[in-house]
Amino acid sequence: MENKYKHIMLDIETMGNSSYSSIVSIGAVKFDINTGDTGDEFYINIDLQSCIDLGLGISASTVMWWMEQSDEARKGLTSGNVVSITEALKMFAEFCDEDCEIWGNSARFDCGILGNAYNKAGIPIPWDFRNERCVRTLTSFAPDIKRNYPDNGVKHNALSDCYFQIGYCSTIWNSLRN
């Protein structure tokens, strides 16, 4: 029987926008693209110093951008369990199913930066590169759906962003199929 939740929506929050940026949180939700139904979720905050120690960078302009975000979004980066980047990568690898399709809001950003962190840490990337899917590409086929889709979550919270992206992606997916 096929796993209903073979898709994983991924969202990361970073301290830069280059390929080797420090990652401060990882959010992911298993979902069914056809229905928008969601399954297991993953969320972890990451110790920034552990990213720097691994050789991941920080951009001053991104730090300044974070200072302009909501208190709720900023506080979300330091609340709860905070682990090292290597521990977070291992935990996320356990969350991923072997044949999962992993969606990122630009495969080069979410999947690319996370993949580079795996490489730096010497940990195998837990998804097949052929299974990377791009939210932005799908959205380009029906941009009005995303533009008009209600976002009731915390902007720039990795887990909240995953649920928002799942909602409009499933709606776009179905509009294209019908």
Side-chain angles (χ1 to χ4, degrees):
M1 183 171 133
E2 184 178 340
N3 181 0
K4 177 179 177 179
Y5 301 117
K6 76 174 199 171
H7 301 272
I8 296 176
M9 184 61 71
L10 167 69
D11 191 75
I12 61 173
E13 300 302 335
T14 66
M15 286 294 158
N17 58 15
S18 71
S19 299
Y20 289 92
S21 292
S22 291
I23 301 167
V24 290
S25 69
I26 301 171
V29 178
K30 294 180 179 181
F31 72 105
D32 180 337
I33 189 71
N34 295 304
T35 63
D37 290 344
T38 58
D40 294 340
E41 62 182 40
F42 177 91
Y43 183 79
I44 196 77
N45 286 323
I46 300 166
D47 176 62
L48 182 56
Q49 186 62 52
S50 71
C51 293
I52 294 167
D53 293 346
L54 189 62
L56 301 174
I58 296 175
S59 161
S61 63
T62 301
V63 171
M64 296 304 292
W65 177 86
W66 270 109
M67 291 174 69
E68 296 172 355
Q69 301 313 304
S70 71
D71 286 344
E72 195 173 8
R74 286 193 320 273
K75 288 178 183 174
L77 298 176
T78 57
S79 64
N81 193 20
V82 178
V83 302
S84 72
I85 183 68
T86 55
E87 186 62 27
L89 295 172
K90 290 174 186 175
M91 292 167 71
F92 185 66
E94 291 176 13
F95 177 79
C96 291
D97 297 323
E98 186 175 322
D99 63 343
C100 68
E101 293 183 6
I102 190 154
W103 289 75
N105 201 358
S106 175
R108 287 185 43 91
F109 191 84
D110 296 293
C111 297
I113 292 173
L114 192 58
N116 287 340
Y118 273 104
N119 289 332
K120 281 265 197 188
I123 301 170
I125 297 171
W127 66 85
D128 186 305
F129 72 93
R130 291 184 272 306
N131 288 341
E132 292 179 2
R133 304 292 180 257
C134 181
V135 169
R136 287 185 184 158
T137 301
L138 180 62
T139 302
S140 72
F141 296 113
D144 286 343
I145 291 175
K146 178 187 176 190
R147 192 172 17 258
N148 296 317
Y149 199 85
D151 183 3
N152 299 322
V154 177
K155 289 183 192 291
H156 310 301
N157 171 282
L159 193 57
S160 182
D161 288 349
C162 284
Y163 283 104
F164 177 55
Q165 290 163 191
I166 289 167
Y168 68 76
C169 283
S170 179
T171 302
I172 292 169
W173 178 265
N174 284 298
S175 75
L176 296 174
R177 291 181 53 207
N178 297 327

